[in-house]
Amino acid sequence: MCERLPATVLSGFSGACPVPEGVEGNERTLRHEMWRRYAGDDWAAFDALPVAVRKRVAEHAYDAWSVNVMLLWRHYKRVYGRTARAERALIRYLDYCERLERAAFASRYAEAYGAVLPHEAAEATVLRVGVR
């Protein structure tokens, strides 16, 4: 998900090639300027994630790119083992990436329109299923 994944994250992953230009589907945000999206089966990657991480990915303000999250999950498993601690660390990292995306979008909006993004001006939060 977040820009430059360490080489250790990518080791052994056959789909580590960047998604070819123009394959972003209906992506119309500046995310392609911030992040690198990795190719692979999005649904298989999503299904392989732990339940708590899948829930957080489903609630992400933007498409969290499941293949990227799977690569990060492999990294966190190597660091912490397959534990609840690894899941919490990955979820915190996804929250951080989401904050970066929202800040970048709000900044771009302010540059383009000379006003604060209405969502930010209202101090609205990202809608989540249930309270954390």
Side-chain angles (χ1 to χ4, degrees):
M1 172 84 196
C2 283
E3 187 168 43
R4 306 287 182 247
L5 297 174
T8 57
V9 174
L10 300 175
S11 65
F13 183 69
S14 61
C17 305
V19 174
E21 193 70 30
V23 181
E24 297 297 325
N26 65 354
E27 186 72 54
R28 298 290 184 263
T29 66
L30 59 111
R31 298 179 79 216
H32 65 281
E33 298 172 21
M34 297 177 63
W35 316 121
R36 175 181 296 160
R37 184 175 186 173
Y38 290 90
D41 184 339
D42 287 322
W43 287 108
F46 183 82
D47 289 342
L49 294 169
V51 173
V53 176
R54 284 198 313 257
K55 180 180 182 298
R56 179 59 187 83
V57 167
E59 294 174 344
H60 201 299
Y62 306 98
D63 177 5
W65 297 339
S66 298
V67 173
N68 290 36
V69 176
M70 185 63 205
L71 292 171
L72 288 166
W73 173 237
R74 288 179 181 176
H75 170 72
Y76 279 92
K77 281 193 310 187
R78 278 195 291 277
V79 172
Y80 298 107
R82 189 179 185 95
T83 63
R85 182 178 177 195
E87 291 177 23
R88 287 191 309 270
L90 176 54
I91 289 169
R92 277 193 310 273
Y93 190 67
L94 293 173
D95 290 344
Y96 168 70
C97 291
E98 181 181 64
R99 285 191 306 274
L100 291 176
E101 290 178 358
R102 292 180 62 207
F105 185 80
S107 175
R108 180 70 60 93
Y109 183 91
E111 288 173 15
Y113 299 102
V116 178
L117 180 69
H119 192 87
E120 296 293 319
E123 297 179 7
T125 60
V126 176
L127 295 177
R128 309 272 190 226
V129 179
V131 179
R132 290 188 212 231

